[in-house]
Amino acid sequence: MSSYHGKVDSLGLSFFGSMTASISHEIKNALAIINENAGLLGDLVALSEKGRPLDPERLQTISDSIRRRVQGADDIVRRLNRFAHSANQPVVTTGIRDILACTVALSERLATMKGVRLLIAAGEEIEVQTLPFVLENLLWICLKNIFLLAGEGQQVVLGAVREESDVVVTLHCTPEIPVEQLETTVATEGQPLIFFLRMQVRADPHNGRLCLHMPLRFIE
Amino acid sequence: MAVTVLLIDDDREFLDILAERLTIRGMEVTSAASGRAALDLVRAARFNVIVLDLQMPEMDGLQVLERLVALDPAQRIILLTGHATVSRGVHAMKLGAADVLEKPVDIRELVERIKTVASAPRGVGANGQAGQPSGPLQKGRGQGLLQALRGLFKSGR
């Protein structure tokens, strides 16, 4: 069991690194826009000193852009903070859709880079007892491998349904994504996490889905 | 004559503002919000310098760089990126980039680098070192490459 803990920790560190690198890139982009807007304000002031009149509408546009980007950066930092805290969170009871939403938010930039669209299916919230960070890690492994298999313009819809004492997380892929191949890759790469969470990974090629079966209550 | 610059970045707002700021500084700027749009523009017109974002959807910066260099091996290209790592920077310069700058960039530094690259003979980077677009790193070019990447080493990457 201890070797599994080591493998779970190792995968977790890799996951944490990938996510924080991606988030820091998003912050950098927001800072770059704020920097250019601030610079443009300086340029316009310098031009006004040479006789070009300042356009209040233009200044308002720049101010709005800075405010919007600061708000965006603040959202990114909140997401980072929530994610960072999830890494040392014990077993908790939480809504599965919250976990899906968090995973999608973390993965969105990388999905966009690959031209893949991520959606969450409508449905009722299901309370599960789990380790959110480990489950998000497994979902990330699924998405990462989908990004590798998917071409531009593909779509993945994440959802969850209750089946007796289990919850089944589904990743519904567009037909071009081979779910059997995905199952093999995820089962291999995510094996320590799957074991740790007492989950089962099954491809459902008929419906173009990858299904992750997990118990509603965490089993120590 | 004004230096002609092609800016390539997927963030339209960033493109517009940077284009305006470079125009204020006397440059003639064209923008492209994707690698594909940029390649179309380069097929139709010649630019003194191309400023290219490293991370873009669809076709990332290194792919665009490769294709730009394939179209014109002497094309002068500056990479502008949110997170430049030494390894990616070295890779980019091996592919034919003349320089690598990290966002957020100081406009004075960017203008200076653009002018340096634009005034160098075609195929020579901001460091004054010439390079073929691909293949093994040439002897003598390594020093220039290290200069270009000094900022990245300083920031611990």
Side-chain angles (χ1 to χ4, degrees), chain B residues 28-154:
Chain B
E28 204 174 287
V29 184
T30 305
S31 303
S34 71
R36 285 200 180 95
L39 289 166
D40 288 343
L41 286 166
V42 169
R43 282 186 196 104
R46 178 167 273 191
F47 300 93
N48 295 137
V49 180
I50 295 175
V51 179
L52 168 66
D53 184 26
L54 192 58
Q55 293 230 337
M56 292 188 295
E58 297 175 20
M59 210 191 293
D60 82 11
L62 289 180
Q63 289 175 299
V64 179
L65 172 64
E66 275 185 288
R67 294 195 190 186
L68 288 170
V69 169
L71 283 174
D72 178 2
Q75 182 68 65
R76 299 138 168 162
I77 301 164
I78 296 174
L79 280 179
L80 188 59
T81 178
H83 271 304
T85 60
V86 169
S87 62
R88 289 204 94 190
V90 168
H91 185 51
M93 294 189 79
K94 280 181 181 177
L95 289 175
D99 212 339
V100 182
L101 284 171
E102 200 171 337
K103 289 180 187 174
V105 67
D106 185 308
I107 193 77
R108 287 166 298 189
E109 190 181 0
L110 178 61
V111 168
E112 188 187 313
R113 302 281 188 105
I114 289 173
K115 285 181 176 170
T116 306
V117 169
S119 62
R122 280 171 65 76
V124 174
N127 319 298
Q129 299 287 334
Q132 293 303 311
S134 57
L137 196 63
Q138 293 173 350
K139 196 178 177 185
R141 195 185 176 209
Q143 189 58 38
L145 187 149
L146 285 176
Q147 281 177 341
L149 297 174
R150 186 175 291 152
L152 307 183
F153 280 111
K154 272 185 191 168

Side-chain angles (χ1 to χ4, degrees), chain A:
Chain A
M1 188 69 188
S2 61
S3 70
Y4 270 98
H5 279 107
K7 286 173 185 168
V8 169
D9 287 348
S10 172
L11 284 169
L13 192 59
S14 167
F15 172 50
F16 197 83
S18 297
M19 291 301 111
T20 49
S22 174
I23 291 169
S24 67
H25 195 101
E26 286 185 67
I27 294 170
K28 273 276 209 175
N29 280 339
L31 289 174
I33 296 282
I34 294 166
N35 179 59
E36 290 312 320
N37 272 306
L40 182 56
L41 281 176
D43 290 349
L44 295 177
V45 168
L47 287 171
S48 79
E49 285 166 358
K50 290 178 186 167
R52 184 167 126 176
L54 276 172
D55 174 5
E57 230 172 84
R58 186 85 183 89
L59 297 182
Q60 187 61 52
T61 306
I62 295 168
S63 164
D64 290 346
S65 169
I66 292 173
R67 195 175 300 116
R68 198 170 56 249
R69 293 291 178 154
V70 168
Q71 180 61 55
D74 189 49
D75 290 344
I76 296 164
V77 172
R78 276 173 209 269
R79 200 189 318 145
L80 173 63
N81 185 266
R82 183 223 172 269
F83 175 65
H85 282 300
S86 78
N88 56 13
Q89 207 172 26
V91 174
V92 293
T93 299
T94 183
I96 191 76
R97 293 174 64 81
D98 277 351
I99 292 176
L100 297 183
C102 180
T103 307
V104 166
L106 288 168
S107 315
E108 201 124 52
R109 179 181 158 271
L110 295 160
T112 305
M113 299 297 293
K114 295 287 181 184
V116 177
R117 194 163 170 232
L118 299 179
L119 299 167
I120 297 179
E124 282 180 25
E125 184 58 291
I126 303 165
E127 294 280 306
V128 290
Q129 192 189 52
T130 190
L131 281 160
F133 182 78
V134 180
L135 181 53
E136 284 164 9
N137 190 357
L138 182 60
L139 289 167
W140 162 243
I141 288 172
C142 296
L143 291 176
K144 183 180 70 169
N145 283 291
I146 287 172
F147 299 160
L148 290 173
L149 292 169
E152 203 180 300
Q154 306 293 309
Q155 177 175 288
V156 181
V157 182
L158 291 93
V161 289
R162 188 170 169 168
E163 279 186 10
E164 299 174 0
S165 59
D166 279 0
V167 59
V168 183
V169 175
T170 56
L171 292 96
H172 198 147
C173 306
T174 35
E176 291 79 3
I177 300 170
V179 287
E180 294 104 323
Q181 191 182 337
L182 183 63
E183 177 196 359
T184 308
T185 316
V186 170
T188 306
E189 195 180 327
Q191 200 267 343
L193 309 176
I194 293 164
F195 178 84
F196 194 77
L197 294 170
R198 305 289 189 267
M199 292 178 77
Q200 287 181 319
V201 178
R202 288 188 193 136
D204 173 11
H206 183 68
N207 292 305
R209 299 186 309 180
L210 185 72
C211 300
L212 310 175
H213 295 254
M214 64 180 285
L216 280 169
R217 294 186 62 78
F218 183 75
I219 302 163
E220 294 281 353

